[in-house]
Amino acid sequence: ALKLMKAVFNSHPSLVSGIELVRLVTLNSDLAEAEQITKKLELFYPKSTEPALAQSYIAQLKGSRSEAEEILSKAYKANPTNEEVAIRYINLLIESGEKNKAKTVLNRAITVMPQSPYFLLRLARLKSEEKQYKEAKNLLDRLLKLSPENIEAWTLAGFIASEENNTDAAERYFREAYEKQPENDTLARYYVTQLLK
């Protein structure tokens, strides 16, 4: 497969064949060659974010989180409306323990892409971890208006209401989540636990 993909890429270096070749070379544990291919792709397709995403992944495989963060930061600044780049950058910041920086990027991303359920939920989670429940609830209200089927949002709202000792609201949120997915054992357990309270 690797030889075939190299032949395809060398004869017709498309973005799709290049990214597939990077994937195969990476699976073959040749990170230096994978990096070289991503650099070629960057030259051939300067407007695409795919090479930068691949480079950040390779940097993480090499154990260089700071390099991956630098690559994604640059890609995000160049493409602030690219949801995938922003998501990967935010996730990396959170994994690195840089929650304040992640919140800054999240707030910017929400300004640019206000309809994104991912950004609203991620920021609501960070706010709830910091016990900023009012801000988290405002974000969840926005999210549930946009995406009323979002189970994670209903569940997080239930946990926040529970933390605030608002048992009626917690029961309502957990019931809503359970009724949307009655086959989900975890949601059933949350709802039953709340009822027992």
Side-chain angles (χ1 to χ4, degrees):
L2 186 55
K3 283 179 185 174
L4 177 63
M5 195 48 69
K6 279 183 180 180
V8 168
F9 182 69
N10 288 332
S11 65
H12 183 67
S14 72
L15 182 60
V16 173
S17 66
I19 292 299
E20 185 58 25
L21 181 57
V22 169
R23 190 180 73 76
L24 288 171
V25 170
T26 304
L27 286 172
N28 205 33
S29 300
D30 192 343
L31 301 181
E33 186 181 355
E35 275 184 312
Q36 287 175 343
I37 298 163
T38 60
K39 286 182 176 145
K40 279 184 189 174
L41 289 172
E42 217 172 19
L43 288 172
F44 295 156
Y45 303 97
K47 291 186 179 179
S48 174
T49 57
E50 292 297 321
L53 291 170
Q55 285 173 354
S56 72
Y57 178 66
I58 292 165
Q60 284 181 283
L61 288 176
K62 291 189 318 188
S64 180
R65 193 173 267 178
S66 60
E67 184 186 349
E69 191 178 314
E70 191 178 313
I71 291 164
L72 288 173
S73 172
K74 186 179 169 187
Y76 175 68
K77 284 174 186 161
N79 305 280
T81 59
N82 186 299
E83 194 168 9
E84 188 178 357
V85 170
I87 287 170
R88 293 267 294 275
Y89 184 39
I90 290 161
N91 285 341
L92 188 61
L93 289 171
I94 291 169
E95 286 169 19
S96 301
E98 297 184 59
K99 289 186 179 179
N100 285 334
K101 198 170 180 181
K103 280 193 296 188
T104 302
V105 176
L106 274 165
N107 280 315
R108 228 178 290 138
I110 288 170
T111 304
V112 175
M113 295 170 268
Q115 306 293 317
S116 171
Y118 173 84
F119 297 133
L120 292 167
L121 182 62
R122 197 64 150 135
L123 187 56
R125 270 201 214 117
L126 287 175
K127 296 284 186 185
S128 69
E129 286 171 17
E130 295 170 346
K131 302 196 183 310
Q132 295 176 359
Y133 297 133
K134 186 177 180 185
E135 291 177 47
K137 284 191 293 189
N138 289 339
L139 290 162
L140 290 172
D141 286 344
R142 279 176 61 187
L143 170 54
L144 289 169
K145 282 177 188 165
L146 291 169
S147 181
E149 299 300 311
N150 192 309
I151 302 296
E152 287 180 78
W154 287 110
T155 307
L156 181 57
F159 282 120
I160 290 170
S162 189
E163 283 292 315
E164 294 181 319
N165 294 316
N166 187 342
T167 53
D168 290 342
E171 181 188 328
R172 188 175 70 248
Y173 291 132
F174 286 130
R175 182 183 66 237
E176 194 72 44
Y178 168 70
E179 286 175 353
K180 290 183 185 321
Q181 234 178 54
E183 71 285 356
N184 187 319
D185 292 343
T186 305
L187 295 176
R189 196 168 56 249
Y190 292 155
Y191 184 37
V192 168
T193 302
Q194 191 59 45
L195 288 171
L196 290 172
K197 284 182 183 177

